[in-house]
Amino acid sequence: MTTAAFDGTLTRDWMHRFADSVYATEAELTALDQRVGDGDFGNNLTAGVRAAQRLLDAQGEGSGPSATLGFMATAFLDEIGGTSGPLFGLLFQALSRAASGDGLTAAGLAEGAEQGLAAIRRVGDAAPGDKTLVDALTPAAAALRASEGTPPGRALALAAEAAWQGVHDTAGLSARMGRASYLGERVTGIPDPGAVGVALFFASAAGPVHALAPYLPDAV
């Protein structure tokens, strides 16, 4: 992935790899969420990528990166329930808007991630340190901005690395949002599932993730 911008085909392939990663790790995501949340995160994420793939397949080949990411946004915003679906939909929507006619560049990825983060924080009222997906998206967005001017594949690899570190960091946090906030110390040592989903998204740019265990803290 040395191109200066992701065209429609590369972006579409990334979305399909993300779907493959979600399918492969659904059971792990569900088990993780059962320990800290409602237990539906794996199912919701799977439903989201399945709905998105239906839209992508109906459109066929030839869509640009903005349209491809727009289909992802539509699927997650309009068809998926729970809290996570709309929040991921906001990220995809912002990335779609940031894609230019030249494709999806590292600068566009940074702009989209930052705008998506801002929208998620505004809607979800979450801040870094609250043990949510914000704790993975914040460092990922910063890594993308620091990588501006590099090939998007390289920028996404650095974003994935930062997001996984954010996942590890959530394990040591006390939850301040959602059901996990009522569980107190029982969620200490367990990473946030939403943060894992964000890391999974960025990591899938390079290839599908077949299992979460190698990426999660040893205590999980």
Side-chain angles (χ1 to χ4, degrees):
M1 295 182 184
T2 58
T3 182
F6 270 24
D7 61 12
T9 298
L10 287 172
T11 305
R12 185 186 183 93
D13 289 346
W14 173 18
M15 297 307 110
H16 282 303
R17 288 194 295 270
F18 176 49
D20 290 341
S21 296
V22 172
Y23 298 146
T25 61
E26 179 183 1
E28 290 175 283
L29 289 167
T30 296
L32 192 63
D33 196 39
Q34 286 172 341
R35 299 174 66 185
V36 300
D38 296 325
D40 61 354
F41 180 69
N43 290 335
N44 285 342
L45 206 59
T46 296
V49 296
R50 185 173 289 125
Q53 284 190 307
R54 286 197 298 268
L55 292 176
L56 290 171
D57 291 343
Q59 180 69 16
E61 301 290 340
S63 298
S66 180
T68 295
L69 288 159
F71 292 136
M72 297 291 292
T74 296
F76 277 79
L77 287 169
D78 295 350
E79 299 192 35
I80 308 305
T83 302
S84 58
L87 297 183
F88 274 83
L90 290 172
L91 173 59
F92 299 139
Q93 186 178 70
L95 287 168
S96 172
R97 290 171 175 169
S100 69
D102 295 328
L104 193 58
T105 63
L109 286 164
E111 178 67 21
E114 289 169 350
Q115 292 300 317
L117 174 61
I120 288 169
R121 291 193 60 180
R122 184 169 60 250
V123 171
D125 198 29
D130 284 347
K131 198 181 178 93
T132 71
L133 62 84
V134 166
D135 291 300
L137 184 53
T138 298
L144 288 170
R145 181 57 70 190
S147 304
E148 188 174 347
T150 66
R154 173 61 178 164
L156 286 165
L158 293 172
E161 182 179 334
W164 284 122
Q165 183 57 55
V167 168
H168 278 248
D169 292 344
T170 63
L173 296 173
S174 297
R176 302 191 189 117
M177 307 287 292
R179 181 174 178 271
S181 64
Y182 299 102
L183 299 178
E185 295 301 319
R186 282 176 288 176
V187 301
T188 301
I190 305 172
D192 178 71
V196 174
V198 167
L200 201 63
F201 172 64
F202 288 112
S204 296
V209 176
H210 301 293
L212 294 178
Y215 298 92
L216 299 183
D218 293 338
V220 175

